[in-house]
Amino acid sequence: MKKYAQKLDEFYVSTRRMPSYSEMLGIFGFKSKNAVFKRIAQLVKEGLLTKDKTGRLLPLNLRQPVRLLGLVQAGFPSPAEEETIDLISIDEYLISNPQATFLLKVSGDSMIDAGIHPGDLVLIQKGLTPKSGDVVVACVDNQWTLKYFEKQKGRIILRAANKKYPPIEPEQELVLGGVVIANVRKYR
């Protein structure tokens, strides 16, 4: 099964979409769609793929794990040896509930002092109850924003991580879209 998962992963990375069953005939080298259906059913069973409500295939754990080589000091330098400690999948490390998790691309600089910069991707999980100090995505009076969540004396305040922006208190409606569980920045 690993070779089929790897072939799907390669297709997904190069096209940013899952192949159709017809395309999988060529990818897998099969002559029968029935053989494709059997392989896909096995990959779903193994947790590498899932299907949405319409039956469309979605990747879950296709990506190959990356070697975790150890720890690095962010303070004073220390001697280090390259030694594989474990294999880790970024998806598994960051995402505990794939069905409730999505990415948003950040625009604007209101969260820059929290280390969230324009162009970053934030990983959001729906259904979590935010605690004071969590970064949330919220719709305030029909406007979506990314801010710190604070509760003060029963009132909810959304606070920027940039002194240029004032705190926001909902005047009419507040809808929480989810809690930020990770921030991803690509340097190169």
Side-chain angles (χ1 to χ4, degrees), residues 135-153:
V135 178
V136 298
V137 62
C139 185
V140 184
D141 303 326
N142 293 319
Q143 300 274 336
W144 285 98
T145 189
L146 188 73
K147 299 286 184 278
Y148 279 122
F149 177 88
E150 290 182 13
K151 227 176 188 178
Q152 294 179 355
K153 299 178 184 175

Side-chain angles (χ1 to χ4, degrees), residues 50-86:
T50 189
K51 292 183 179 182
D52 67 11
K53 293 174 186 172
T54 65
R56 192 176 64 191
L57 289 174
L58 301 171
L60 275 180
N61 294 312
L62 286 178
R63 299 301 319 206
Q64 299 301 312
V66 177
R67 293 178 298 145
L68 177 63
L69 294 179
L71 304 174
V72 64
Q73 282 284 350
F76 293 103
S78 67
E81 291 182 30
E82 186 175 306
E83 175 186 338
T84 300
I85 293 176
D86 201 355

Side-chain angles (χ1 to χ4, degrees), residues 55-146:
R56 192 176 64 191
L57 289 174
L58 301 171
L60 275 180
N61 294 312
L62 286 178
R63 299 301 319 206
Q64 299 301 312
V66 177
R67 293 178 298 145
L68 177 63
L69 294 179
L71 304 174
V72 64
Q73 282 284 350
F76 293 103
S78 67
E81 291 182 30
E82 186 175 306
E83 175 186 338
T84 300
I85 293 176
D86 201 355
L87 291 175
I88 187 168
S89 161
I90 299 298
D91 289 353
E92 288 178 28
Y93 176 69
L94 295 176
I95 302 170
S96 61
N97 186 348
Q99 286 73 27
T101 306
F102 60 96
L103 283 168
L104 291 174
K105 190 169 188 175
V106 176
S107 67
D109 64 353
S110 73
M111 295 304 289
I112 205 152
D113 292 338
I116 302 173
H117 296 252
D120 286 358
L121 297 175
V122 286
L123 200 58
I124 311 289
Q125 185 171 332
K126 297 184 287 186
L128 294 176
T129 302
K131 298 179 276 186
S132 278
D134 281 345
V135 178
V136 298
V137 62
C139 185
V140 184
D141 303 326
N142 293 319
Q143 300 274 336
W144 285 98
T145 189
L146 188 73

